[in-house]
Amino acid sequence: QVQRVLLALTIPLEVLQIVKGRMMEAMNKGLSCQTHAQANVRMLPTYICSTPNGTESGDVLVVELCQSHVRILSTTLLGNGNDSPQLTDKIFDMPGDVMQGTGEALFDFIAQCLRQFLDNINITRNHLPLGFVFPFSCRQTRLDKAELISWSKGFSCSDVEGKDVVQLLQSAIHKQELSHVEVVALMNDTVGTMMTCSTREKPCEVALIVDKGTNSCFMAEAQYVQMVEETNGRMCVNTEWGCFGDDGALNDVLTPYDQRVDQESSSPGVKRFEKLVGSLYLGDIVRHALIALATEKVLFIGSNVTVLETKGVLKTQQVLQIINDEEGMTKARTTLEALGLRPSERDCCRVQQVCRAVVSRSAALCAAGLAAILSLICQSRGLERLRINVAVDGELYRAHGRFREILQSVTGLLAPECATSLVPSMDGSGLGAVMVTAVALRMANQRSEVDQLLAPLRLTRTSLERVQALMRQEMDLGLGEETNANSSVRMLPTYVRGTPDGTEQGEFLALDLGGTNFRVLVVRLAENGIHMASETYVIPTELMQGTGEALFDHIVDCIMDFQLKQDLMEQILPLGFTFSFPCKQMGLDKAVLLSWTKGFSASECVGKDVVQLLREAAQRKQHLKLKVVAVVNDTVGTMMSCGYDDPKCEIGLIVGTGTNACYMEETQNVGTVEGEQGRMCINMEWGAFGDNGCLDHIFTEFDRMVDEKTINPGKQRFEKLISGMYLGEIVRHILLAMVEKQILFQNMTCSILQSKNIFKTKFLSTIEMVMPPPACGMGMMMGMVVLTVSLMGSSDGLALKQVQAILKDLGLQATFEESVLVREVCQTVSLRAAQLCAAGLAAVVEKMRENRGLGQLAVTVGVDGTLYKMHPCFSQHVQKTLQDLAPNCTVTFLQSEDGSGKGAALVAAVAVRGAE
């Protein structure tokens, strides 16, 4: 009979695994906005989004409402790691009638205690933040706003349920003329436990309380706490796991003794997990097991056991003393004899076995719940292995080493992917509340400083509309013959008078020169599509910086080499020349080089027609069959490349290392060329937009610092706000400002950030590579748990892990919160770039619509460039902002494939078609 009782109270490891899985299911149910209302594990957001990092400073007050008294304490944090802060506290006994009186009387009593406490200590601050420990079930909607759901623990004050308890306390404080005291945070003791154990070097992200009741909390990925709008970073979730099993999830581990304890309680059927684990109930579980054994004549033969029928006659504290290895048998005897029983040696031994089984089961069930939390954290962050600190408090944990050993070992067996350190908490409700309050202040101050830094980069709709209007103004100036010189947008005619219509056929050569490598291509246009072959050639530095004659001779040598390999030497093929350097185009096949960029400085080229330089080199090389029919830049090539697939493509856009745009303008509006008929492609050269000062109002101090260190200060101002060459540098300067203000990387050497171009623009793409949060209701059913955590693991947590990896490569050890801030900076900079790009495009499409007298314009933009193509959010931001700024234009974006190569051939093909 004894073995049967012990077996019933022992849960095998495989069953504990099942319990863990059910707990994870219940937690997902509590996190989902669709199933939260039906969830037993409530997963309540606490709006605490950070743990202490040791820099918290200032005077802090705490009010702790306890079962029979009010505790008030104060401390001064020095920001020096907050090791062992000195607390001053006082306990005020609460009259019994206050607990059952009016809510106003309760909060007035608390405020009076606070006034008396402050009168006796010397704090001269003008502003005193206060944390409120309120150990009752609340619906929290902000850190400083929480509505009481229901009273418990003997309280039944009127006119409080359904009301904001923070506001009730604040009103009572104002009655006491303590206007300098502000309630900034409300919390429970579980959260406080976690906060007392956390430092920057040793963050603590989980807390477990095993006391008369039990609860836990942990730092969850904010985007999966669907009951709140916040999606960045992490938020502490109060699990309220004591109610786990109220839906029957624990029925297969419940014993008859548990059922009797539940029936005797004031709330049968409620808090089933807590009644298996909490110290309030363990003594009675043992008591009912002993009654069963006594009834079967296995214990206390000859004794009157009716005393065991009395609830609470055996205390959990006595149970913990009985399971003590050294004095347990003696304690068992004295405890039983005090109840009027006459236990034998065997009786004492068997009672000790039952006590051990009940306590061990409590520890094992706590371990299953803790393992569920740890596995959920590990999976949601996309980690193969998690190292984490868990703060623990409560009578059961503190009182017995055996409980601690089982909790640690079983947790390790159930969550082997998690390396867990259990950290005992000290004064979670007092010091923990201090830390919650101090962290809330630190985060609020930090948020204010961050918003102040980033505010100039956050463009309003009005600002974007102004940029759009300025772009239109500069476009009109650039098109005018007399006003062109006054415009920062050059609006260069390209002499490309049409886009592909699909009838182009034949073979064409293309030459793509825009950097240290260049390509030669043959493009075959046929009814079944486009076929291409190409080869890339290197331009040695000595040729880039030598004579123009040597450079163009090398280019012709490469063209001849390619034609030999392709067996094209005997053919005269039209050639389109993509020349991606600033030029003044005088005709379709005539372009005067204005200046070299990208490291080129070949002599005798600036001010000369690059097509003629190429032709002269061909003559020197006796290559008389080279027929250059068009010279274009890559933006025009992009438009033409996409125009072959979509006849509506009349705009080209490049957003890569640099940025530019072109579009089909009515020829009659182009004052810098002769002719009135048809349309002509205009190369806007919009990277220089703002060089005349018209955009100074949106330039920030960070933009100016970036501009000053470039090779062309004051030039290409628009490009320096948008393109990939500069975004990383803007981010770097913002991060430096945050370091200077001690928002980031405190007590860390950050000299690496002083290095120009150390923060690459490609980092922005990696950092912002994040999936959107799952739809409401993800993970409702058991079968969906695996799906939920796999989605969670691949999104926000993984993205922030990437941030930390990038910063680590730079020698910067970033906390989670610092990683969130770095990502916010990257998002702000890239969003502004996309919005400015869209504002420029809005000016273009609106001008085209007005030119054509249309109420609604449908047009396609051919787009190329690594920033547009590779950044995970840039294209969506451009499209959304353009839709907002130009609602009368339906704009489709088509990504270009090889605009500089295929596009150049298509310009040549359209030119041949026009000539024919």
Side-chain angles (χ1 to χ4, degrees):
Q1 295 97 321
V2 174
Q3 288 301 319
R4 187 172 66 245
V5 170
L6 296 177
L7 191 62
L9 291 166
T10 303
I11 306 176
L13 192 63
E14 57 269 22
V15 176
L16 289 172
Q17 283 282 13
I18 294 171
V19 171
K20 172 193 168 183
R22 291 172 183 167
M23 179 69 87
M24 290 180 74
E25 178 191 2
M27 287 177 177
N28 276 303
K29 194 173 181 180
L31 288 170
S32 165
C33 60
Q34 286 189 345
T35 55
H36 175 82
Q38 296 82 44
N40 296 117
V41 180
R42 299 294 301 280
M43 305 298 281
L44 301 175
T46 66
Y47 295 85
I48 293 167
C49 299
S50 178
T51 54
N53 66 6
T55 65
E56 293 79 15
S57 61
D59 296 322
V60 178
L61 290 172
V62 167
V63 167
E64 181 184 357
L65 180 58
C66 304
Q67 194 154 357
S68 59
H69 63 268
V70 171
R71 179 189 180 202
I72 298 179
L73 60 91
S74 73
T75 190
T76 300
L77 299 175
L78 303 176
N80 59 355
N82 300 328
D83 293 330
S84 305
Q86 296 299 308
L87 303 180
T88 301
D89 69 342
K90 185 172 182 180
I91 291 175
F92 298 84
D93 292 329
M94 191 186 315
D97 58 341
V98 171
M99 297 169 62
Q100 284 84 38
T102 66
E104 184 177 8
L106 170 65
F107 288 100
D108 282 347
F109 173 75
I110 296 172
Q112 289 161 10
C113 296
L114 178 62
R115 177 62 188 259
Q116 185 179 336
F117 178 82
L118 290 174
D119 286 343
N120 292 325
I121 63 172
N122 184 26
I123 298 181
T124 57
R125 292 285 184 106
N126 293 328
H127 176 253
L128 279 176
L130 182 145
F132 186 20
V133 182
F134 190 73
F136 301 97
S137 182
C138 289
R139 185 179 297 104
Q140 200 157 355
T141 54
R142 282 194 332 231
L143 186 56
D144 61 350
K145 184 178 177 64
E147 295 178 358
L148 175 65
I149 296 173
S150 62
W151 287 113
S152 59
K153 305 174 185 177
F155 282 77
S156 59
C157 301
S158 61
D159 297 324
V160 180
E161 291 182 356
K163 294 186 178 178
D164 177 8
V165 294
V166 172
Q167 186 55 48
L168 292 174
L169 177 58
Q170 190 70 67
S171 297
I173 289 172
H174 285 160
K175 283 189 203 174
Q176 296 296 319
E177 298 182 348
L178 299 173
S179 58
H180 61 301
V181 177
E182 180 188 6
V183 186
V184 300
L186 179 137
M187 72 228 69
N188 66 14
D189 53 354
T190 314
V191 177
T193 294
M194 181 182 75
M195 300 298 264
T196 60
C197 297
S198 194
T199 63
R200 180 185 174 93
E201 293 74 26
K202 191 178 178 182
C204 187
E205 297 184 275
V206 183
L208 169 65
I209 288 193
V210 200
D211 205 84
K212 289 182 171 59
T214 182
N215 196 14
S216 61
C217 67
F218 68 98
M219 296 299 290
E221 307 304 300
Q223 63 174 327
Y224 301 105
V225 187
Q226 294 182 4
M227 300 305 293
V228 300
E229 293 181 2
E230 179 61 52
T231 60
N232 283 324
R234 292 174 184 157
M235 179 178 289
C236 181
V237 171
N238 169 25
T239 67
E240 290 290 343
W241 74 3
C243 293
F244 173 52
D246 289 2
D247 57 355
L250 291 172
N251 285 355
D252 49 355
V253 301
L254 293 174
T255 67
Y257 327 120
D258 302 313
Q259 301 284 22
R260 294 189 186 105
V261 168
D262 179 57
Q263 290 162 9
E264 286 178 346
S265 71
S266 60
S267 53
V270 176
K271 296 204 169 185
R272 302 308 296 268
F273 187 66
E274 183 166 282
K275 288 171 184 173
L276 296 174
V277 169
S279 65
L280 187 63
Y281 306 97
L282 299 192
D284 282 325
I285 296 172
V286 170
R287 179 174 62 85
H288 279 289
L290 299 184
I291 290 173
L293 290 172
T295 302
E296 295 186 42
K297 308 297 183 184
V298 178
L299 288 178
F300 313 132
I301 297 170
S303 296
N304 182 357
V305 296
T306 54
V307 66
L308 293 176
E309 300 289 342
T310 306
K311 178 183 175 183
V313 74
L314 187 61
K315 309 294 184 187
T316 296
Q317 186 59 40
Q318 294 170 319
V319 169
L320 295 174
Q321 292 169 343
I322 288 170
I323 63 176
N324 190 293
D325 289 332
E326 295 179 1
E327 302 172 1
M329 289 289 287
T330 303
K331 188 61 184 177
R333 180 174 295 280
T334 57
T335 299
L336 295 170
E337 288 176 347
L339 294 176
L341 302 171
R342 297 192 300 276
S344 65
E345 191 74 14
R346 176 176 289 183
D347 288 343
C348 292
C349 181
R350 288 174 173 174
V351 168
Q352 189 181 53
Q353 286 179 301
V354 172
C355 289
R356 282 178 174 162
V358 170
V359 173
S360 297
R361 185 184 65 159
S362 170
L365 285 169
C366 278
L370 179 57
I373 289 175
L374 298 176
S375 292
L376 200 63
I377 292 174
C378 189
Q379 293 165 342
S380 69
R381 297 180 187 178
L383 302 174
E384 293 182 3
R385 186 153 181 81
L386 173 71
R387 299 186 66 86
I388 197 163
N389 296 311
V390 177
V392 194
D393 202 358
E395 177 186 10
L396 276 177
Y397 181 81
R398 288 194 306 265
H400 211 278
R402 176 70 176 156
F403 187 96
R404 297 193 291 272
E405 290 170 10
I406 294 171
L407 178 63
Q408 181 87 61
S409 61
V410 176
T411 300
L413 291 170
L414 295 177
E417 76 279 19
C418 304
T420 308
S421 297
L422 301 181
V423 184
S425 171
M426 299 297 293
D427 193 12
S429 57
L431 179 58
V434 167
M435 299 315 301
V436 170
T437 308
V439 167
L441 284 174
R442 172 173 63 80
M443 295 299 287
N445 292 336
Q446 177 180 288
R447 183 73 264 160
S448 175
E449 288 189 310
V450 170
D451 287 343
Q452 189 175 348
L453 271 176
L454 298 182
L457 291 101
R458 290 174 170 152
L459 302 178
T460 63
R461 183 187 178 92
T462 301
S463 297
L464 292 171
E465 287 173 343
R466 184 177 175 189
V467 172
Q468 177 183 350
L470 286 168
M471 178 67 86
R472 175 61 184 273
Q473 175 182 303
E474 294 292 296
M475 289 171 69
D476 290 339
L477 288 172
L479 288 171
E481 182 179 8
E482 296 180 358
T483 56
N484 176 267
N486 299 324
S487 175
S488 61
V489 181
R490 301 290 299 279
M491 303 298 284
L492 303 174
T494 67
Y495 298 88
V496 173
R497 300 179 184 274
T499 55
D501 62 8
T503 65
E504 297 81 10
Q505 291 193 13
E507 288 188 320
F508 302 87
L509 284 175
L511 178 62
D512 174 16
L513 176 61
T516 55
N517 296 329
F518 78 102
R519 292 181 306 149
V520 185
L521 307 90
V522 60
V523 180
R524 299 177 175 91
L525 305 179
E527 290 183 1
N528 61 347
I530 297 179
H531 307 278
M532 295 190 298
S534 68
E535 187 153 347
T536 300
Y537 296 88
V538 175
I539 300 179
T541 304
E542 58 268 23
L543 292 179
M544 291 169 59
Q545 299 171 359
T547 66
E549 185 174 301
L551 173 63
F552 280 91
D553 282 353
H554 175 69
I555 292 170
V556 172
D557 284 338
C558 295
I559 294 172
M560 293 170 68
D561 176 74
F562 177 77
Q563 286 186 281
L564 278 169
K565 290 176 180 177
Q566 297 291 326
D567 195 23
L568 297 172
M569 282 299 290
E570 299 306 314
Q571 297 185 49
I572 301 177
L573 299 180
L575 184 145
F577 185 11
T578 297
F579 188 74
S580 300
F581 298 92
C583 288
K584 181 177 182 181
Q585 198 137 359
M586 312 299 287
L588 185 59
D589 62 349
K590 185 174 184 178
V592 175
L593 177 63
L594 298 177
S595 62
W596 282 117
T597 57
K598 307 174 188 178
F600 281 74
S601 60
S603 62
E604 305 294 323
C605 294
V606 175
K608 293 187 177 180
D609 176 11
V610 295
V611 175
Q612 186 58 33
L613 291 174
L614 186 62
R615 286 171 176 159
E616 290 171 359
Q619 288 178 345
R620 286 194 297 273
K621 294 291 183 177
Q622 301 294 305
H623 187 31
L624 305 179
K625 295 184 179 181
L626 192 67
K627 182 183 178 184
V628 185
V629 299
V631 59
V632 298
N633 71 7
D634 51 358
T635 314
V636 177
T638 294
M639 180 187 76
M640 299 296 277
S641 173
C642 294
Y644 187 79
D645 299 314
D646 183 350
K648 288 184 180 178
C649 184
E650 296 184 88
I651 301 172
L653 171 67
I654 299 281
V655 196
T657 307
T659 183
N660 194 15
C662 68
Y663 73 103
M664 296 303 292
E665 177 61 85
E666 308 303 310
T667 304
Q668 62 183 358
N669 294 336
V670 186
T672 52
V673 298
E674 295 180 0
E676 296 286 324
Q677 299 300 312
R679 294 173 182 154
M680 179 180 290
C681 180
I682 297 296
N683 168 24
M684 295 178 66
E685 290 293 343
W686 79 1
F689 175 40
D691 287 3
N692 57 2
C694 67
L695 289 182
D696 284 358
H697 64 286
I698 64 168
F699 267 72
T700 68
E701 59 176 309
F702 310 115
D703 301 313
R704 293 187 184 95
M705 286 188 281
V706 170
D707 179 51
E708 287 167 4
K709 297 298 181 182
T710 60
I711 60 172
N712 56 346
K715 304 295 184 184
Q716 298 293 105
R717 303 292 299 275
F718 193 56
E719 182 168 272
K720 289 171 184 173
L721 300 175
I722 290 177
S723 72
M725 182 174 281
Y726 305 101
L727 298 191
E729 274 294 276
I730 297 171
V731 169
R732 182 178 70 85
H733 281 287
I734 296 171
L735 297 184
L736 278 171
M738 288 185 166
V739 170
E740 186 179 337
K741 291 179 176 290
Q742 296 192 327
I743 297 171
L744 288 177
F745 314 132
Q746 292 101 338
N747 304 318
M748 199 181 298
T749 302
C750 301
S751 55
I752 188 71
L753 288 176
Q754 300 287 348
S755 303
K756 185 180 177 183
N757 294 325
I758 196 70
F759 200 93
K760 310 294 184 187
T761 297
K762 68 179 182 181
F763 293 167
L764 277 70
S765 296
T766 304
I767 284 169
E768 295 184 58
M769 192 76 69
V770 54
M771 291 172 58
C776 234
M778 183 68 73
M780 289 187 290
M781 300 167 287
M782 182 65 172
M784 295 183 71
V785 172
V786 174
L787 173 62
T788 303
V789 296
S790 66
L791 281 174
M792 290 167 71
S794 60
S795 54
D796 204 47
L798 187 59
L800 290 165
K801 191 178 169 187
Q802 293 275 25
V803 181
Q804 289 177 314
I806 288 169
L807 294 172
K808 186 176 181 181
D809 287 343
L810 297 177
L812 300 169
Q813 297 293 333
T815 65
F816 178 86
E817 289 141 26
E818 288 169 337
S819 300
V820 171
L821 281 178
V822 171
R823 186 176 68 173
E824 182 180 354
V825 172
C826 293
Q827 289 171 331
T828 302
V829 170
S830 63
L831 173 61
R832 182 187 67 156
Q835 289 176 328
L836 288 171
C837 183
L841 277 178
V844 172
V845 296
E846 277 296 313
K847 186 174 194 318
M848 293 174 70
R849 184 182 66 81
E850 292 172 17
N851 284 347
R852 300 173 190 188
L854 299 174
Q856 190 77 25
L857 172 72
V859 68
T860 296
V861 177
V863 61
D864 203 352
T866 51
L867 184 59
Y868 187 92
K869 286 184 171 180
M870 303 304 293
H871 191 284
C873 310
F874 194 92
S875 59
Q876 296 98 305
H877 290 323
V878 170
Q879 293 168 32
K880 181 182 182 303
T881 307
L882 179 58
Q883 189 175 20
D884 291 342
L885 295 176
N888 294 322
C889 300
T890 303
V891 183
T892 304
F893 286 79
L894 183 61
Q895 290 195 19
S896 168
E897 297 299 329
D898 194 14
S900 55
K902 182 173 72 174
L906 284 165
V907 172
V910 171
V912 170
R913 186 194 75 201
E916 290 172 348

